[in-house]
Amino acid sequence: MKAIQVHKFGGPEVLELHEIPSPKPSHGQILVRVHAAGVNPYDTYMRSGTYAVKPPLPYTPGSDAAGSVEAIGDGVRKVKPGDRVYTAKTLTGAYAEYTLVDESQVYPLPGKISFAQGAGLWVPYGTAYTALHHHGHARPAETLLIHGASGGVGTAAIQYARAMGMIVLGTAGSQRGLDLIKKEGANQVFDHSKPEHAEEILKFTGGRGVDVILEMLANVNLATDLKLLATNGRTVVIGNRGDITINPRELMLHRSSVSGFTLWATTETEAAEIHAAIAAGLENGTLRPIVGKEIPLKEASRAHQEVLAPGAFGKIVLVP
Ligand code: NAP
């Protein structure tokens, strides 16, 4: 099979297409024929060798794939050959024509959801759900600011939050991104490339502030976020790419809190909750993964450049 492999950590150019043997499923394992693989920002951090999780070399990147079951090992009960599935992590990497997964890592993909959309489920929707519910303790009628709403996690968060009855304020840095988040249901949109956007957000809330903030770039925004919180507000740090100075007095004044998490530490119970919410949302149409770009597998290095570039528009997926 063809697979992207990383033989040494480095820039996007270390993503190379190789011809390697297809894996064979052992007991409790499933071989999935990959129709689309999701590209997540963490794939780029891991590839560069600077991420907390450093896989042994060579490795094939990617945790989010969607495709059909090609073969199953002994004892597998959850799926059968031909079933449409999405993955939440894999054993051998998603950027390939086939990926091997444990039975616990596959979930059914409804017929009305395309494979490209299915490749944008686990990391984006798992992260948005964890941030909103497990950390943000979000409630209907509360006001939510999604600081960075135009990408994979942000669009997922808009859909979850609107479906549960929150008032959603979203930000993007391009007109196309602003139009997208408005279309996905944000009640009001703001341009985070304009310094005055924080003031505009506060003004929109009548000076009260927002109840929950989902922050995609904490090293830029955290100090401002703390000023935008209402009393008892919660900021959830989802993305961060550096250091920032904050004034902790803002937390005292607003009786507010900041928390953070990584999806890697999700427990089995939390994962069951996330997949149940994804299944329900896909079925009732409140969750509609946005695919902005489909890029051929062999151009994975281009996908890694584009996923970090400004102007996000939903997900970027690789197509073998
Ligand atoms: P993505 O699809 O590449 O989207 C990135 C988002 O960040 C876009 O909405 C982008 O907006 C926005 N952004 C850019 N500059 C910003 C600024 N100054 N202020 C606020 N937002 C800004 O990435 P993603 O998959 O949604 O992930 C978002 C972040 O969360 C990444 O840093 C990722 O590594 C992290 N993440 C963390 C976890 C976790 O477990 N904690 C899980 C998944 C993702 P424009 O392009 O429109 O400017």
Side-chain angles (χ1 to χ4, degrees):
M1 68 169 185
K2 290 189 172 59
I4 295 294
Q5 284 193 317
V6 173
H7 285 254
K8 60 171 195 268
F9 295 113
E13 70 286 351
V14 303
L15 297 169
E16 292 172 347
L17 190 70
H18 286 266
E19 191 79 37
I20 60 169
S22 303
K24 302 262 176 293
S26 307
H27 185 86
Q29 296 179 341
I30 295 152
L31 185 67
V32 176
R33 181 171 172 221
V34 178
H35 288 261
V39 177
N40 288 297
Y42 95 80
D43 300 342
T44 71
Y45 319 150
M46 192 182 272
R47 183 216 67 226
S48 71
T50 56
Y51 195 53
V53 180
K54 217 169 169 181
L57 298 170
Y59 80 98
T60 294
S63 51
D64 294 5
S68 51
V69 173
E70 183 75 11
I72 57 173
D74 297 341
V76 170
R77 299 269 171 275
K78 199 171 175 183
V79 292
K80 58 181 186 322
D83 283 359
R84 302 171 96 252
V85 292
Y86 72 92
T87 70
K89 297 195 251 182
T90 75
L91 299 170
T92 57
Y95 290 17
E97 286 180 309
Y98 294 93
T99 187
L100 193 64
V101 295
D102 186 81
E103 189 171 13
S104 63
Q105 297 171 326
V106 290
Y107 293 87
L109 184 69
K112 64 178 176 180
I113 305 299
S114 72
F115 289 121
Q117 288 178 300
L121 286 174
W122 168 239
V123 171
Y125 284 86
T127 302
Y129 186 94
T130 303
L132 274 173
H133 296 288
H134 297 152
H135 287 262
H137 305 292
R139 296 266 185 281
E142 283 192 321
T143 304
L144 170 72
L145 168 63
I146 305 171
H147 222 159
S150 48
V153 178
T155 48
I158 297 174
Q159 295 169 4
Y160 273 131
R162 280 309 309 275
M164 71 182 276
M166 298 189 86
I167 300 151
V168 177
L169 282 53
T171 77
S174 71
Q175 190 54 51
R176 196 165 164 252
L178 291 164
D179 293 344
L180 171 70
I181 64 180
K182 186 90 191 155
K183 182 163 161 278
E184 284 310 307
N187 299 83
Q188 191 68 27
V189 302
F190 302 88
D191 185 341
H192 54 227
S193 69
K194 298 197 173 133
E196 64 274 19
H197 81 278
E199 222 169 277
E200 290 169 3
I201 289 168
L202 203 55
K203 198 164 152 208
F204 180 81
T205 66
R208 175 188 174 272
V210 299
D211 299 294
V212 182
I213 300 178
L214 303 191
E215 181 51 63
M216 304 302 160
L217 201 55
N219 54 301
V220 172
N221 296 319
L222 189 59
T224 311
D225 288 343
L226 300 188
K227 297 185 176 139
L228 294 179
L229 285 175
T231 303
N232 296 317
R234 291 86 73 197
T235 294
V236 185
V237 174
I238 297 177
N240 182 61
R241 294 179 184 163
D243 295 339
I244 182 166
T245 301
I246 61 160
N247 182 353
R249 184 157 288 278
E250 299 290 346
L251 294 168
M252 296 154 71
L253 286 172
H254 298 99
R255 306 169 71 102
S256 57
S257 62
V258 180
S259 68
F261 69 95
T262 75
L263 197 61
W264 293 103
T266 303
T267 64
E268 232 173 85
T269 313
E270 288 165 345
E273 202 179 303
I274 290 167
H275 290 291
I278 290 176
L282 294 178
E283 189 184 314
N284 66 27
T286 52
L287 301 186
R288 309 161 301 274
I290 309 294
V291 179
K293 255 182 224 167
E294 296 187 39
I295 294 180
L297 178 66
K298 62 176 192 283
E299 292 178 47
S301 56
R302 171 160 75 88
H304 272 212
Q305 283 162 358
E306 295 191 8
V307 76
L308 295 184
F313 191 93
K315 286 297 306 172
I316 296 179
V317 304
L318 291 171
V319 182

